[in-house]
Amino acid sequence: MRRAVCPGSFDPMTNGHLDIIGRAAALFDDVYVAVLVNESKRSLFEPDERIAILEQGTQAMGNVKVEAFVGLLVDFCAERSIDTIVKGLRAGGDFDYEVQMAQMNRTLSGVETVFVPTAPQWSFVSSSLVKEIARFGGDVESLVPSYVLDRLARRLSGPS
Ligand code: PNS
């Protein structure tokens, strides 16, 4: 039984995230999506809402489970007998930091990291850019599922 985790902040989930999770689900028996809850980092969406979005996106994938986590990713892995971290790698800037984290996680616990190259159509997409564009009224319809679009509109029109 090969068990993997796709970790991230997912604030909010984008089409790029969904693509990586789906591809991980095709490669592994079980996939956990681990949603980082970082009290010191201000997020647009609360953890519960980020999880609800991910659950909606992955409901058709029978082997994917979404959970929040605090603390170290390697501890999340150890508690669930997960031996592989799956990360999407965009062309350009992701590489150095991602390799550093992969080496650190392997040193800490032996967990391996597998990098999946992002699909070309999502290689420029990030949650941060989606939020910035949406905040200033730009069109992000092609970058996130419709249910994320609705939540973005509601959140950005409401109290901050
Ligand atoms: O979507 P993000 O914010 O780029 O995801 C980063 C994440 C959650 C994968 C990374 O920050 C992480 O693993 N945080 C948990 C704390 C931890 O284990 N830190 C040591 C990393 S080597």
Side-chain angles (χ1 to χ4, degrees):
M1 168 79 73
R2 299 312 303 264
R3 200 169 267 184
V5 62
C6 295
S9 303
F10 303 105
D11 184 39
M13 181 193 80
T14 67
N15 288 343
H17 290 131
L18 210 43
D19 177 58
I20 297 296
I21 296 166
R23 287 158 69 192
L27 289 168
F28 291 87
D29 298 307
D30 276 342
V31 172
Y32 283 81
V33 179
V35 181
L36 179 67
V37 178
N38 185 348
E39 303 292 351
S40 62
K41 195 172 155 191
R42 205 176 134 83
S43 57
L44 181 63
F45 293 100
E46 295 299 322
D48 284 354
E49 195 163 7
R50 286 184 266 149
I51 288 171
I53 289 169
L54 282 154
E55 283 177 341
Q56 192 165 353
T58 59
Q59 65 190 359
M61 305 174 198
N63 58 341
V64 176
K65 196 171 176 179
V66 185
E67 287 187 13
F69 84 106
V70 285
L72 290 178
L73 181 59
V74 290
D75 291 336
F76 181 93
C77 292
E79 285 156 16
R80 292 160 185 80
S81 303
I82 294 167
D83 54 23
T84 309
I85 298 167
V86 175
K87 290 299 227 30
L89 208 56
R90 287 170 294 208
D94 281 345
F95 186 77
D96 289 352
Y97 185 51
E98 290 296 342
V99 168
Q100 186 183 15
M101 281 200 288
Q103 290 168 332
M104 182 63 81
N105 284 326
R106 186 158 183 264
T107 300
L108 287 171
S109 74
V111 70
E112 289 285 5
T113 298
V114 169
F115 293 120
V116 176
T118 50
Q121 68 266 40
W122 312 128
S123 67
F124 59 92
V125 179
S126 70
S127 299
S128 309
L129 278 180
V130 163
K131 284 183 284 192
E132 183 174 317
I133 293 161
R135 198 169 270 133
F136 291 109
D139 182 6
V140 293
E141 191 177 356
S142 62
L143 312 178
V144 295
S146 58
Y147 46 88
V148 175
L149 210 57
D150 293 345
R151 286 177 188 265
L152 270 170
R154 263 182 276 140
R155 180 52 46 91
L156 293 171
S157 66
S160 58

Coordinates of all heavy atoms in Angstrom, one line a residue, residues 7-10 17 34 36 41 69 71-74 87 97-98 100-102 104-105 108, ligand 1:
P7 N 0.9 18.3 0.4 CA 0.7 19.4 1.4 C 0.6 20.8 0.8 O 1.1 21.0 -0.3 CB 2.0 19.2 2.2 CG 3.0 18.8 1.2 CD 2.3 18.1 0.1
G8 N 0.0 21.7 1.6 CA 0.0 23.1 1.1 C -0.9 23.9 2.0 O -1.5 23.5 2.9
S9 N -0.9 25.2 1.6 CA -1.7 26.2 2.3 C -3.1 26.2 1.6 O -4.1 26.4 2.3 CB -1.2 27.6 2.3 OG 0.1 27.6 2.8
F10 N -3.1 26.0 0.3 CA -4.4 25.9 -0.4 C -5.3 27.1 -0.1 O -6.5 26.9 0.2 CB -5.1 24.6 -0.2 CG -4.3 23.4 -0.5 CD1 -3.7 22.6 0.5 CD2 -4.1 23.0 -1.8 CE1 -2.9 21.5 0.2 CE2 -3.3 21.9 -2.1 CZ -2.7 21.1 -1.1
H17 N -3.5 23.1 -8.3 CA -3.5 22.1 -7.2 C -4.3 20.9 -7.5 O -3.9 19.7 -7.3 CB -4.1 22.8 -6.0 CG -3.4 23.9 -5.3 ND1 -3.9 25.1 -5.0 CD2 -2.1 23.9 -4.9 CE1 -3.0 25.8 -4.4 NE2 -1.9 25.2 -4.3
A34 N -2.9 17.6 2.9 CA -2.7 18.1 4.2 C -2.7 19.6 4.1 O -1.9 20.3 3.4 CB -1.3 17.7 4.7
L36 N -2.2 23.1 5.6 CA -1.4 23.8 6.7 C -2.3 24.8 7.4 O -2.8 25.7 6.8 CB -0.2 24.4 6.2 CG 0.7 25.1 7.2 CD1 1.3 24.1 8.2 CD2 1.8 25.9 6.5
K41 N 0.3 33.1 10.1 CA 0.1 33.6 8.7 C -1.3 33.9 8.4 O -2.2 33.1 8.6 CB 0.7 32.5 7.8 CG 0.9 33.0 6.4 CD 1.6 32.0 5.6 CE 1.4 32.1 4.1 NZ 1.9 31.0 3.3
F69 N -3.5 20.3 9.2 CA -2.4 19.9 10.0 C -1.7 21.1 10.6 O -1.7 22.2 10.0 CB -1.4 19.0 9.3 CG -0.4 19.6 8.5 CD1 0.9 19.7 8.9 CD2 -0.7 20.1 7.2 CE1 1.9 20.3 8.1 CE2 0.3 20.7 6.4 CZ 1.6 20.8 6.8
G71 N 2.0 22.1 12.7 CA 3.4 21.6 13.1 C 4.1 21.0 11.9 O 3.9 21.6 10.7
L72 N 4.9 20.0 12.1 CA 5.8 19.5 11.0 C 5.1 18.5 10.1 O 4.3 17.6 10.6 CB 7.0 18.8 11.6 CG 8.0 19.7 12.3 CD1 9.1 18.9 12.9 CD2 8.6 20.8 11.4
L73 N 5.3 18.7 8.8 CA 4.8 17.8 7.8 C 5.3 16.3 8.1 O 4.5 15.4 7.9 CB 5.1 18.2 6.4 CG 4.6 17.4 5.3 CD1 3.1 17.3 5.3 CD2 5.1 17.9 4.0
V74 N 6.5 16.2 8.5 CA 7.0 14.8 8.7 C 6.3 14.1 9.9 O 6.1 12.9 9.8 CB 8.6 14.8 9.0 CG1 9.3 15.2 7.8 CG2 8.9 15.7 10.2
K87 N 4.8 16.9 -4.5 CA 4.8 18.4 -4.7 C 4.7 18.7 -6.2 O 5.5 18.1 -7.0 CB 6.0 19.0 -4.2 CG 6.1 19.0 -2.6 CD 5.0 19.8 -2.1 CE 5.2 20.8 -1.0 NZ 6.4 21.6 -0.9
Y97 N 13.8 26.2 -3.4 CA 13.1 26.0 -2.1 C 12.5 24.6 -1.9 O 12.6 24.0 -0.9 CB 12.1 27.1 -1.9 CG 11.4 27.1 -0.6 CD1 12.2 27.2 0.6 CD2 10.1 27.1 -0.4 CE1 11.6 27.2 1.8 CE2 9.5 27.1 0.8 CZ 10.3 27.1 1.9 OH 9.7 27.1 3.2
E98 N 12.0 24.1 -3.0 CA 11.4 22.8 -2.9 C 12.4 21.7 -2.6 O 12.2 20.8 -1.9 CB 10.6 22.5 -4.2 CG 9.3 23.3 -4.4 CD 8.3 23.1 -3.3 OE1 8.3 22.0 -2.6 OE2 7.4 23.9 -3.1
Q100 N 15.3 22.2 -1.1 CA 15.7 22.4 0.2 C 14.7 21.7 1.2 O 15.1 21.0 2.1 CB 15.8 23.9 0.5 CG 16.4 24.2 1.9 CD 16.4 25.7 2.1 OE1 15.7 26.5 1.4 NE2 17.1 26.1 3.1
M101 N 13.4 21.9 1.0 CA 12.4 21.3 1.9 C 12.5 19.7 1.8 O 12.4 19.0 2.8 CB 11.0 21.8 1.6 CG 10.8 23.1 2.2 SD 9.0 23.5 2.3 CE 8.6 23.8 0.6
A102 N 12.6 19.3 0.5 CA 12.7 17.8 0.3 C 13.8 17.2 1.1 O 13.7 16.1 1.7 CB 12.7 17.5 -1.2
M104 N 15.4 18.5 3.6 CA 15.2 18.6 5.1 C 14.3 17.5 5.6 O 14.5 16.8 6.6 CB 14.7 20.0 5.4 CG 14.4 20.2 6.9 SD 16.0 20.2 7.8 CE 16.6 21.8 7.5
N105 N 13.2 17.3 4.9 CA 12.2 16.3 5.3 C 12.8 14.9 5.3 O 12.5 14.1 6.2 CB 10.9 16.4 4.4 CG 10.1 17.6 4.8 OD1 10.0 18.0 6.0 ND2 9.4 18.2 3.8
L108 N 15.1 14.6 8.2 CA 14.3 14.5 9.5 C 13.7 13.1 9.7 O 13.7 12.6 10.9 CB 13.2 15.6 9.5 CG 13.6 17.0 9.7 CD1 12.4 17.9 9.5 CD2 14.2 17.3 11.1
Ligands
PNS1 O1 1.3 25.9 -0.3 P1 2.5 26.3 0.5 O2 2.3 27.4 1.5 O3 3.7 26.6 -0.5 O4 2.9 24.9 1.3 C1 4.1 24.9 2.1 C2 4.1 23.7 3.0 C3 2.8 23.6 3.8 C4 4.2 22.4 2.2 C5 5.3 23.8 4.0 O5 5.4 25.1 4.5 C6 5.3 22.8 5.1 O6 5.5 21.7 5.0 N1 5.0 23.4 6.3 C7 4.8 22.6 7.5 C8 6.0 22.8 8.5 C9 7.2 22.0 8.2 O7 7.2 20.8 8.2 N2 8.3 22.7 8.0 C10 9.5 22.2 7.6 C11 9.6 22.1 6.1 S1 11.2 21.4 5.6

